[in-house]
Each structure stands twice: as structure tokens, then as C-alpha cells.
Amino acid sequence: NAGVMQNPRHLVRRRGQEARLRCSPMKGHSHVYWYRQLPEEGLKFMVYLQKENIIDESGMPKERFSAEFPKEGPSILRIQQVVRGDSAAYFCASSPTVADTQYFGPGTRLLVL
Amino acid sequence: QQPVQSPQAVILREGEDAVINCSSSKALYSVHWYRQKHGEAPVFLMILLKGGEQKGHDKISASFNEKKQQSSLYLTASQLSYSGTYFCGTEIAGTGKLIFGQGTTLQVKP
């Protein structure tokens, strides 16, 4: 049973470009969560999605960030017009039901030059 | 809203014990504990639900005092592999959203 998969593992972008981060949850998990971790800091909640629905996006910056979890395929976190401050590790977690154990993927480390 | 963890950092010798605390100002539905090694993903340790649970496996256990809105992680007879940063994640009922503490860095020396 494969764990949570994320790709790419490392992503380098120049200021102004777009970043697309993908997350495939564990088999049987329909709840996906995205967290951001700045260097030497803790994990900050960004968004919680269930298939085709955004349940809670209270941690998402109002501009440039969007997330989706389509009926088919992985969840995507999209960052438009990246800035240096977006450089961070972005982790995805999944759970089988709400309020259940969340299992984390390996993360995508985004570096904005 | 972010839970407060204490201490911020601990240095131990192999075989010593440690306690990490997590306190919240809000009523909690559950507390989740994770360990993260540098450059890696957080690894799930255990989840405690409201009701004053206490759980454990191997030499790691935890308690959750719902009334005090606190949880504690107990590491017994620490091993080198226990080194890392420990995070508590707190959840308010039904939201699914975890709010993490700032982390406690544990270093176990031979």
C-alpha cells in the first residue's frame, strides 16, 4: 500500500513563474490537506479538500494560490507569479475520513530565485 | 490559536527520559503527535481523542487532559533514533484542520 505521493520533490522557479505541486493521497483516502513549512519553522495549514470540493481554505493566501482535488487524478496546489517568500516545503497529507490520522507525503521543496 | 509546546529544545543522553508538553487556549477535539527529522516528512506517532485518553507503544506514550486542554508526550529510555523535532497538532471538533505547535527539538546523544 503506497503512501502519500508528491511530485516534484524539488522545484526551482524564477520570480513571476507558476508552480504546480501534485499530491496523490493514500489508497482509500478521500481527504487531502496541504501544509506549508518555512525554513526552521513549524507546519502551517493551508487548505483542506475532499474530492471535487474545497472544505476549508482559511490558511490560503488570498491571491496567487489555488488548490483543487478533481474527481480523477491528484490534488494540485498552484502558485501563480511566485515570489521569493513562497520558497518553502509544501507537504500534503491524507486521511480516510475527517478527524482521522493524517499521513504526510515527502513534500515538495520550492525554491524561488 | 497556535498551541504552545514546551520545552523548545531538549538534549538527552541515551536511556534518559523526556516529556514534551502541548497546551492550547481552545477546547480540543483531538491531539496528534508527529516527529520530523531534518529534511524529511513528519511521521505520525499517535492520535488522542477527547475523553482523557492515554496511549502508548514501545517506549513512547502520550496523555490528553481535555479539561486542561493539554497533552503530553512521554519518551522513555530514549534512543538515538528519537532525535528530531516533535510537533503536536490540535484539532477543533469536526474541522479536520490541524494547527501545529512551534515544535520541540530533541537531540539524543550517545
Side-chain angles (χ1 to χ4, degrees), chain B residues 3-19:
Chain B
V4 176
Q5 288 184 231
S6 63
Q8 282 193 311
V10 187
I11 299 176
L12 298 174
R13 293 282 178 197
E14 262 187 301
E16 291 181 339
D17 303 339
V19 180

Side-chain angles (χ1 to χ4, degrees), chain A residues 13 19 21 36-37 52 57-59 64 69 78 96 102:
Chain A
R13 285 287 178 265
L21 287 60
R36 177 164 65 176
Q37 188 173 36
E52 298 186 275
E57 55 182 348
S58 57
R64 302 188 298 108
F69 189 15
R78 184 181 174 206
Q102 295 183 22

Side-chain angles (χ1 to χ4, degrees), chain A residues 33 35 37 40-45 48 56 58 91 98-107 109, chain B residues 2 29 32 34 36 38-42 44 47 49 87 91 94-102:
Chain A
Y33 314 82
Y35 295 88
Q37 188 173 36
E40 308 304 323
E41 291 192 13
L43 296 147
K44 297 282 192 273
F45 170 81
Y48 161 33
D56 184 337
S58 57
F91 290 98
V98 69
D100 205 332
T101 301
Q102 295 183 22
Y103 294 94
F104 280 76
R109 278 144 187 88
Chain B
Q2 180 184 31
Y29 178 78
H32 304 226
Y34 290 84
Q36 184 179 33
H38 188 70
E40 298 182 8
F44 171 74
I47 180 175
L49 303 177
F87 291 100
E91 187 202 356
T95 63
K97 160 182 164 180
L98 290 181
I99 305 298
F100 285 92
Q102 80 280 18

Side-chain angles (χ1 to χ4, degrees), chain A residues 15-55:
Chain A
R15 280 178 297 169
Q17 291 184 319
E18 178 179 288
R20 278 186 177 237
L21 287 60
R22 293 174 188 77
C23 168
S24 296
M26 285 178 73
K27 189 176 179 181
H29 289 194
S30 59
H31 300 255
V32 166
Y33 314 82
W34 286 92
Y35 295 88
R36 177 164 65 176
Q37 188 173 36
L38 294 169
E40 308 304 323
E41 291 192 13
L43 296 147
K44 297 282 192 273
F45 170 81
M46 297 183 76
V47 62
Y48 161 33
L49 309 105
Q50 211 179 342
K51 280 288 186 183
E52 298 186 275
N53 291 306
I54 296 175
I55 307 300

Side-chain angles (χ1 to χ4, degrees), chain B residues 19-55:
Chain B
V19 180
I20 300 171
N21 300 302
C22 175
S23 296
S24 173
S25 59
K26 290 191 176 276
L28 301 175
Y29 178 78
S30 65
V31 179
H32 304 226
W33 284 97
Y34 290 84
R35 176 171 60 215
Q36 184 179 33
K37 293 185 184 281
H38 188 70
E40 298 182 8
V43 173
F44 171 74
L45 294 175
M46 61 188 77
I47 180 175
L48 300 108
L49 303 177
K50 65 177 182 179
E53 266 201 304
Q54 187 148 0
K55 272 191 177 179

Side-chain angles (χ1 to χ4, degrees), chain A residues 55-73:
Chain A
I55 307 300
D56 184 337
E57 55 182 348
S58 57
M60 288 275 272
K62 294 285 184 280
E63 297 176 352
R64 302 188 298 108
F65 285 72
S66 62
E68 62 176 9
F69 189 15
K71 189 176 179 182
E72 301 291 337

